[in-house]
Amino acid sequence: MNNLGLPPIIQGGMGAAVSSWFLARTVANEGQLGVVSGTALETVVARRLQNGDEGGHMQEALSHFPYPEVAEEILAKFYRAGGRNGEPFRPMRRLSIQAHREHDQLAVAANFVEVWLAKQSGNGKVGINFLEKLQTATPAALYGAMLAGVDAILMGAGIPREIPQLMTDFSQGKSGHLSIDSERPSGVDAPILEFDPLESFGKAPELPRPAFLAIVTAEVLASYLARNEITRPDGFIVEHYMAGGHNAPPRRMQDTETGYGPLDEPNIAKIRDVGLPFWMAGGRATPKSAEQAIELGAEGVQVGSLFALSNESGLLPEYREQMLDAARNGNLRVRTDHLASPTGFPFKVVELPGTVGEQSTYEARPRLCDLGYLRSSHIDEAGKVSYRCAAEPDKPYLKKGGEEPELAGRICLCNGLVAAVGLGQERPDGYKEAPLLTLGSTTSDVEGMLKEFPNGWSAVDVVNRLLSGINNAKAPV
Ligand SMILES: Cc1cc2nc3c(=O)[nH]c(=O)nc-3n(C[C@H](O)[C@H](O)[C@H](O)COP(=O)(O)O)c2cc1C
């Protein structure tokens, strides 16, 4: 065990709600780190409530939220005892660079709920994963997770230089600040988003400070973050470009199937020299590759895809089964799509019929932006702020200063990902959002697992299989 007290297996955070509280709790129960996804949790929790809160878990967790009047307001607004009866989900306020009390309260409560539920596992450790790019969502979400006693914060898709300080401030009962990377005229400072617990709840208790693991691919980013005590994380997840979800862009676009090449291989020797504990992720889910990770000096591995396909995953069972069937037939195809994500980062897209990873389903979707997590903010000369997302409808995007070539091939990740966990919007005109599925591109992990568990597997099976490799490892030289 390392000085952070974190175990060798990290079940990767998988948005949105693929790594739900139930998956994380199962993994934490096994003594490993279960990680819930912190992406869009206020939408996830609000929609679970509108669907009737099967099992009563949202209500149970909310009954433990330290601010009961806020919990009651949330229930009054979103809970529908009998479900929606075909009504669309309520529209949500989209995030902006200004704090908004009611939305912040919901975000705090939703993150509290997911972590609290995952933590009902005895002494198991639970982390939460955020995307750096979703800056406007981060302060309130982080606060909610800390309020529930989260053990680790994991953050990728950007350079999380201000997160360690934000965590320290919240743990000391202070308000927290985050600079927002708005596009702005030269000489204008980045806007600062503040979340002040005292203002939202009238109280700001001291809270335990979790460990912070930054998700990186390149050793330069690891050493840059580690150099200064303000930006230094407690450890790293070193993620290979084969990992599911978003990936760091290639250093230089290569003429290969994925666009990546040898330059994009993480330099583990240099990462080891940085001197902080690290875990390896992306195609590290066979016993052999987990064993090798330890021998290279890692504390362990972070694994996503095999957990996403396990019985406890938040993915709708029918989509999970479709992917497993495709793998059984040898045609599970995952492409590295350099256009799909409006963030500009490459994104792994599973190509399955009926999902937006398939061209005809993608083209049949009328563009609409109603969740807006990936919107970027732009400040003009007069100080006016506008928001846009390259997956939104063309006309407003162009009117707000967006450029035509940016629109091509963009997928609405927000709607596609929440549809994958059974929380997709049904629009008033009858259009039903189609799911977007993502997995890592190392299908050998999945095939190896299928050989041992042809009818599917539980998260516990994944943990045991990884442990069989980890326990075999020799001490690193
Ligand atoms: C379905 C799915 C969703 C993911 N979503 C996220 C995410 O929201 N944020 C993130 O940092 N990583 C995300 N990942 C990456 C995982 O946390 C993990 O690092 C990765 O899956 C490890 O590689 P593997 O899939 O080859 O095991 C996702 C992966 C999958 C499979």
Side-chain angles (χ1 to χ4, degrees):
M1 192 76 85
N2 43 76
N3 61 356
L4 304 175
L6 295 177
I9 299 172
I10 301 181
Q11 161 258 305
M14 296 179 282
V18 171
S19 60
S20 63
W21 62 268
F22 185 58
L23 173 60
R25 182 195 281 187
T26 307
V27 173
N29 259 331
E30 293 300 301
Q32 306 302 330
L33 184 68
V35 179
V36 297
S37 165
T39 305
L41 272 178
E42 62 276 36
T43 297
V44 166
V45 169
R47 289 189 175 183
R48 286 179 185 150
L49 285 169
Q50 289 168 78
N51 277 353
D53 189 20
E54 199 188 332
H57 304 293
M58 302 300 104
Q59 293 164 87
E60 186 201 0
L62 279 170
S63 75
H64 292 267
F65 190 58
Y67 306 108
E69 59 296 345
V70 172
E72 269 159 39
E73 280 167 27
I74 291 170
L75 287 173
K77 190 163 173 188
F78 295 107
Y79 178 53
R80 301 284 168 273
R84 288 172 298 124
N85 300 316
E87 289 289 303
F89 289 109
R90 272 182 80 113
M92 299 276 284
R93 180 185 178 274
R94 285 176 296 175
L95 292 160
S96 76
I97 61 175
Q98 247 111 39
H100 182 277
R101 193 162 182 264
E102 198 182 333
H103 193 97
D104 283 348
Q105 288 177 337
L106 175 62
V108 172
N111 283 268
F112 173 91
V113 161
E114 199 75 353
V115 172
W116 186 89
L117 284 166
K119 279 197 75 91
Q120 304 310 299
S121 62
N123 295 323
K125 298 219 180 216
V126 170
I128 191 165
N129 178 293
F130 296 119
L131 292 174
E132 199 277 337
K133 282 265 175 190
L134 300 191
Q135 291 171 329
T136 46
T138 299
L142 173 64
Y143 188 79
M146 285 177 63
L147 205 53
V150 74
D151 299 287
I153 305 289
L154 298 84
M155 185 178 272
I159 304 175
R161 59 172 88 76
E162 295 182 18
I163 304 302
Q165 186 61 44
L166 189 60
M167 290 167 55
T168 302
D169 287 342
F170 286 155
S171 70
Q172 294 173 350
K174 298 180 187 157
S175 73
H177 305 83
L178 193 65
S179 334
I180 307 297
D181 293 332
S182 298
E183 185 187 64
R184 56 195 188 275
S186 65
V188 173
D189 288 339
I192 308 282
L193 179 64
E194 179 185 15
F195 174 74
D196 183 357
L198 207 54
E199 189 168 313
S200 279
F201 300 111
K203 279 188 201 145
E206 288 186 5
L207 300 170
R209 188 188 188 282
F212 178 54
L213 304 181
I215 304 173
V216 300
T217 47
E219 63 281 0
V220 278
L221 178 55
S223 57
Y224 164 79
L225 291 172
R227 209 170 296 151
N228 177 322
E229 88 182 73
I230 302 287
T231 59
R232 189 179 305 137
D234 300 297
F236 296 107
I237 309 288
V238 183
E239 201 179 63
H240 193 273
Y241 60 79
M242 288 190 289
H246 280 101
N247 306 124
R251 290 199 197 177
R252 218 171 330 114
M253 193 69 176
Q254 303 290 311
D255 190 16
T256 57
E257 201 190 326
T258 56
Y260 292 94
L263 274 181
D264 300 302
E265 293 296 325
N267 185 330
I268 298 301
K270 286 201 174 153
I271 290 193
R272 212 159 85 169
D273 287 347
V274 173
L276 294 174
F278 66 95
W279 285 254
M280 292 177 74
R284 286 279 158 192
T286 61
K288 193 74 204 159
S289 57
E291 178 184 332
Q292 279 163 352
I294 306 281
E295 292 178 352
L296 286 168
E299 300 300 318
V301 291
Q302 170 170 289
V303 167
S305 302
L306 292 191
F307 286 114
L309 293 169
S310 72
N311 302 336
E312 293 82 359
S313 133
L315 282 173
L316 266 195
E318 63 204 73
Y319 303 141
R320 215 172 56 212
E321 275 309 317
Q322 247 182 301
M323 289 193 279
L324 286 173
D325 267 347
R328 284 183 192 109
N329 300 327
N331 59 9
L332 177 60
R333 279 196 309 276
V334 181
R335 70 170 184 265
T336 303
D337 193 322
H338 292 260
L339 294 178
S341 172
T343 62
F345 281 91
F347 190 78
K348 291 283 189 299
V349 175
V350 179
E351 296 177 343
L352 269 188
T355 72
V356 284
E358 174 199 50
Q359 193 62 18
S360 57
T361 307
Y362 169 70
E363 282 166 9
R365 177 183 185 270
R367 284 192 176 214
L368 176 88
C369 177
D370 52 355
L371 293 175
Y373 286 97
L374 296 177
R375 296 189 311 169
S376 51
S377 52
H378 306 264
I379 305 175
D380 69 12
E381 296 287 343
K384 189 167 169 278
V385 187
S386 63
Y387 299 89
R388 58 181 194 247
C389 172
E392 72 177 304
D394 302 15
K395 271 196 191 145
Y397 181 75
L398 297 172
K399 203 167 155 212
K400 288 180 283 186
E403 290 176 11
E404 179 93 48
E406 279 293 312
L407 291 159
R410 302 298 189 191
I411 296 181
C412 176
L413 261 55
C414 298
N415 275 295
L417 292 175
V418 294
V421 295
L423 296 172
Q425 181 62 291
E426 293 165 58
R427 299 187 196 169
D429 65 5
Y431 178 81
K432 212 168 167 236
E433 293 288 355
L436 169 63
L437 302 174
T438 179
L439 278 185
S441 52
T442 349
T443 42
S444 59
D445 293 354
V446 179
E447 283 152 15
M449 201 67 191
L450 271 175
K451 273 197 198 117
E452 207 174 320
F453 302 95
N455 299 320
W457 55 81
S458 102
V460 178
D461 299 324
V462 180
V463 167
N464 289 336
R465 195 168 139 86
L466 294 170
L467 278 179
S468 72
I470 288 171
N471 292 337
N472 241 348
K474 296 178 207 58
V477 276

